[in-house]
Amino acid sequence: MKKILTAFLFVAGSNAVLADDVAIKNKLQALGAQNIEINASPITGIKTVITDEGILYITEDGKYALQGKLYELTAKGPLDVNGKVLINKLNSFKNEMIIYPAKNEKHVVTVFMDITCHYCHLLHQQIKEYNDLGITVRYLAFPRAGMNAESAKQMEAIWTAKDPSFALNEAENGNLPKEVKTPNIVKKQYELGIQFGVKGTPSIVTSSGEVIGGYLKPADLLAALEG
């Protein structure tokens, strides 16, 4: 009897949580949100909700929502919780990334980049210097002008080339792909960038999920990663 009661209470509790999640999802869908994923948050009574337009923090009754960065205050300083929520999703894109590995790897960063971006070009010109400092650089595409931009179609051709690294190197040397493609892979990467709050390129994501907005010289990036 005790086991049955315990099982009943477990199921009842699970159904209550599910009901709350369904209510939250229905409300957000009615407001136009898509690709909704609901998880627990570090704050009691609040849910973490990942949508196609970013992360929300919503009360369990679905009445109130907060949008913006959530930080954990640690002895080492504020830690971006939003990035921690998304880091596993980011790493699931590994097979789609264009990766320039460091031989003696100390750090791994993921860079949302655009082939039309001057500072992305500057970063890419120094890729060997980042690698020599032990920084592996992984690229994801983020067309700044949106999914209808020519650069989105060009980056799709680069990311789906037989040798994406070579194709990207060529593009950064001014030899853009002659063929353009419907940006299916790029669309997924762009949407992930939106969830991370990326608004410009390059946006550098650390292995802990922290977003460093903007270009940093190799030595400055290393200092930021080890600071």
Side-chain angles (χ1 to χ4, degrees):
M1 179 63 74
K2 185 175 181 181
K3 287 184 179 179
I4 294 173
L5 180 60
T6 301
F8 174 78
L9 291 173
F10 175 77
V11 172
S14 297
N15 287 339
V17 171
L18 181 60
D20 289 342
D21 288 357
V22 169
I24 291 171
K25 190 171 185 178
N26 288 340
K27 278 193 175 184
L28 291 174
Q29 286 176 332
L31 294 171
Q34 298 178 7
N35 302 321
I36 299 165
E37 181 184 332
I38 301 174
N39 299 300
S41 87
I43 305 173
T44 303
I46 300 244
K47 295 278 189 176
T48 300
V49 183
I50 304 172
T51 76
D52 56 331
E53 296 185 10
I55 294 178
L56 298 170
Y57 295 96
I58 298 181
T59 55
E60 289 180 345
D61 59 10
K63 288 185 178 180
Y64 302 97
L66 299 168
Q67 185 175 27
K69 293 286 189 181
L70 177 66
Y71 294 94
E72 178 185 353
L73 302 180
T74 71
K76 294 183 178 180
L79 181 63
D80 183 353
V81 175
N82 289 22
K84 286 177 65 178
V85 170
L86 290 169
I87 194 64
N88 288 337
K89 187 172 183 180
L90 175 72
N91 288 329
S92 74
F93 280 67
K94 185 176 180 179
N95 291 337
E96 296 181 11
M97 297 175 180
I98 299 178
I99 301 176
Y100 295 83
K103 289 183 179 179
N104 299 309
E105 184 179 277
K106 298 176 183 176
H107 303 282
V108 177
V109 297
T110 305
V111 180
F112 286 94
M113 65 92 70
D114 186 330
I115 56 172
T116 67
C117 162
H118 168 72
Y119 285 102
C120 296
H121 178 66
L122 190 59
L123 186 154
H124 192 72
Q125 282 183 319
Q126 298 173 292
I127 202 75
K128 185 179 182 299
E129 294 177 48
Y130 292 102
N131 289 164
D132 288 346
L133 290 174
I135 304 171
T136 288
V137 177
R138 313 188 303 184
Y139 283 126
L140 289 173
F142 189 87
R144 297 175 297 166
M147 293 310 304
N148 293 323
E150 186 70 9
S151 62
K153 301 171 185 177
Q154 291 169 331
M155 285 194 284
E156 182 77 16
I158 292 168
W159 258 258
T160 58
K162 288 183 179 179
D163 187 342
S165 295
F166 176 79
L168 180 57
N169 291 341
E170 284 291 291
E172 289 296 319
N173 287 327
N175 302 315
L176 294 171
K178 294 178 181 179
E179 179 187 8
V180 295
K181 295 184 177 181
T182 303
N184 297 319
I185 289 177
V186 168
K187 181 176 184 291
K188 291 191 298 178
Q189 297 179 9
Y190 176 78
E191 289 172 348
L192 179 63
I194 294 294
Q195 291 179 331
F196 266 97
V198 173
K199 293 181 173 61
T201 55
S203 283
I204 302 168
V205 183
T206 70
S207 58
S208 66
E210 180 185 358
V211 178
I212 301 173
Y215 162 78
L216 288 177
K217 295 178 181 178
D220 291 340
L221 179 56
L222 181 64
L225 294 171
E226 297 187 341

